[in-house]
């Protein structure tokens, strides 16, 4: 039994999807539709750069979604792979929007527009330089939560991503993270400051959550074909109204990716198919459970080699 999973921010590279864009009119048509929907040439940005513009959150989020959606639909319609046989659809942060759109809960154009708004809102929720994120390696959620609890009077930081065994990401104000980095160092816990310009998935995203509440409530969510796994709970979800509420909560809350993968495996999933640029989620799944099968799909040969 397999699940389809979709990557989040950080997987983008200039030129992603170019092979499929050059070969298939279906992909060209989706890129053109994206340009028309967003009123600027996101296709040119994806295919030619510059990298610094592609890396802007408001551009990155719809760009990664466009690539994931294009690959999914190409595999399904041109190569006749029945990806909707998946037990679950899941995605990491913005990848959750790729999952719900590919599963039929939200229209392609609506997803592009909401991700453009989401990226802009998240980027501008905190003044530049005043917040950030730190990756913690080789530790456990319990250990990090203990440190945060013991220092809560002096440091306001949150676990933003519980990614895999031994990979946790923290978010907070820059000055709080600097104090936290010293405490982690004193406890011989390896950590790396991430090259991001905002503290995603924490309470500092409250302005973005307000904007997304208003914008998501304007959208028409449909009854999709597949069960989704929520980032916020790590559990399955199918009700469109509940899905909308969890997408709002996702902005300020932890991405429970490790728990999501464990839940899927405990519910008989033994094969994960990552659809989109990069191999980040495949690496995380492998760290969580080495016994499951993993396929990464981002080229024609990947699609041709996929066995469901």
């Amino acid at each position: 039994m397999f699940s389809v999973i979709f990557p989040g921010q950080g997987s983008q590279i200039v030129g992603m999807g170019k092979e499929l864009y050059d070969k298939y009119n279906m992909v060209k048509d989706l890129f053109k539709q994206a340009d028309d929907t967003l009123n600027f040439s996101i296709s040119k940005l994806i295919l030619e750069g510059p990298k610094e513009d592609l890396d802007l959150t408001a551009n990155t989020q719809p760009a990664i979604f466009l690539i994931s959606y294009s690959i999914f639909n190409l595999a399904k319609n041109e190569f006749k792979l029945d990806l909707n046989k998946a037990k679950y659809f899941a995605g990491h942060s913005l990848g959750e929007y790729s999952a719900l759109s590919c599963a039929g809960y939200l229209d392609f154009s609506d997803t592009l527009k909401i991700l453009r708004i989401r990226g802009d809102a998240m980027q501008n929720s905190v003044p530049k330089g005043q917040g950030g994120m730190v990756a913690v390696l080789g530790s456990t959620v319990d250990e990090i939560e203990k440190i945060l609890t013991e220092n809560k009077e002096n440091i306001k930081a949150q676990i933003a991503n519980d990614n895999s065994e031994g990979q946790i990401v923290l978010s907070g104000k820059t000055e709080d993270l600097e104090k936290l980095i010293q405490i982690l160092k004193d406890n011989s816990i390896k950590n790396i400051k991430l090259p991001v310009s905002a503290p995603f998935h924490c309470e500092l995203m409250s302005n973005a959550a307000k904007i997304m509440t208003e914008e998501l409530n304007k959208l028409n969510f449909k009854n999709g074909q597949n069960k989704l796994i929520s980032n916020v709970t790590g559990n399955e979800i199918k009700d469109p109204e509940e899905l909308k509420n969890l997408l709002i909560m996702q902005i300020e809350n932890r991405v429970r990716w490790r728990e999501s993968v464990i839940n899927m495996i405990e519910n008989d999933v033994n094969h994960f198919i990552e659809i989109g640029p990069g191999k980040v989620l495949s690496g995380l799944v492998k760290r969580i459970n080495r016994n499951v099968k993993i396929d990464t799909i981002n080229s024609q040969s990947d699609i041709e080699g996929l066995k469901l």
Side-chain angles (χ1 to χ4, degrees):
M1 201 168 286
F2 70 93
S3 283
V4 181
I5 56 176
F6 298 89
Q9 204 159 326
S11 298
Q12 72 276 5
I13 58 166
V14 173
M16 57 185 179
K18 187 176 188 308
E19 176 209 13
L20 301 177
Y21 176 89
D22 288 343
K23 285 185 179 179
Y24 294 99
N25 287 331
M26 173 188 280
V27 177
K28 282 192 182 74
D29 290 345
L30 287 170
F31 273 52
K32 173 69 166 61
Q33 193 178 333
D35 290 349
D36 293 343
T37 298
L38 297 174
N39 294 316
F40 83 102
S41 185
I42 193 166
S43 57
K44 188 171 190 293
L45 185 58
I46 289 169
L47 297 170
E48 300 176 19
K51 183 182 185 299
E52 55 268 27
D53 288 349
L54 181 61
D55 287 346
L56 293 172
T57 302
N59 295 331
T60 305
Q61 296 199 14
I64 289 177
F65 161 67
L66 174 57
I67 298 299
S68 295
Y69 188 91
S70 296
I71 295 169
F72 178 87
N73 280 279
L74 189 68
K76 188 176 163 183
N77 297 313
E78 292 277 344
F79 290 84
K80 307 304 178 190
L81 291 170
D82 190 1
L83 293 169
N84 287 102
K85 287 195 306 186
K87 179 155 189 183
Y88 299 113
F89 277 49
H92 191 287
S93 191
L94 86 87
E96 191 163 52
Y97 287 80
S98 303
L100 67 92
S101 189
C102 289
Y105 289 86
L106 196 58
D107 288 336
F108 173 66
S109 58
D110 282 344
T111 310
L112 281 166
K113 286 186 277 192
I114 198 69
L115 283 173
R116 177 82 166 159
I117 292 165
R118 181 180 183 267
D120 188 62
M122 290 173 77
Q123 181 66 59
N124 293 311
S125 212
V126 176
K128 194 170 183 181
Q130 290 188 21
M133 302 178 84
V134 172
V136 180
L137 306 175
S139 189
T140 65
V141 169
D142 288 345
E143 187 176 13
I144 298 305
E145 283 181 337
K146 184 171 181 287
I147 289 171
L148 292 174
T149 301
E150 288 172 350
N151 294 278
K152 66 181 179 183
E153 298 302 320
N154 301 316
I155 298 172
K156 305 295 182 206
Q158 287 174 247
I159 295 176
N161 301 339
D162 176 10
N163 281 336
S164 69
E165 305 297 335
Q167 191 189 114
I168 298 159
V169 178
L170 305 173
S171 273
K173 289 185 176 177
T174 305
E175 62 265 29
D176 287 330
L177 291 178
E178 293 297 338
K179 294 178 197 170
L180 190 55
I181 286 168
Q182 187 57 52
I183 292 167
L184 293 169
K185 188 178 175 184
D186 293 343
N187 283 275
S188 301
I189 297 172
K190 188 176 179 184
N191 62 88
I192 302 166
K193 200 166 183 181
L194 296 178
V196 298
S197 54
F200 303 136
H201 298 293
C202 75
E203 290 172 358
L204 295 172
M205 291 283 109
S206 59
N207 286 338
K210 286 174 191 168
I211 291 167
M212 288 302 289
T213 301
E214 188 177 326
E215 295 297 331
L216 283 165
N217 281 324
K218 293 177 187 174
L219 296 184
N220 177 34
F221 282 78
K222 298 173 285 189
N223 289 308
Q225 301 175 51
N226 295 80
K227 291 175 182 174
L228 299 165
I229 297 291
S230 165
N231 280 186
V232 174
T233 65
N235 296 321
E236 69 176 59
I237 177 175
K238 205 172 179 187
D239 177 66
E241 200 56 39
E242 188 184 356
L243 171 64
K244 190 185 296 185
N245 292 333
L246 287 168
L247 288 173
I248 293 165
M249 289 175 65
Q250 189 219 65
I251 297 283
E252 295 182 87
N253 283 273
R254 182 185 311 182
V255 173
R256 297 179 182 271
W257 187 252
R258 180 181 60 87
E259 293 176 45
S260 298
V261 172
I262 290 169
N263 187 13
M264 286 186 269
I265 292 169
E266 287 177 348
N267 282 281
D268 302 321
V269 171
N270 57 12
H271 182 193
F272 290 85
I273 301 169
E274 180 177 5
I275 296 181
K279 299 183 177 183
V280 172
L281 295 187
S282 297
L284 296 180
V285 171
K286 187 59 78 178
R287 289 180 65 131
I288 294 164
N289 189 312
R290 294 197 168 273
N291 298 319
V292 297
K293 183 182 178 186
I294 303 167
D295 283 300
T296 308
I297 309 300
N298 51 37
S299 69
Q300 180 175 324
S301 61
D302 291 338
I303 299 171
E304 288 171 343
L306 183 62
K307 301 283 189 294
L308 297 183

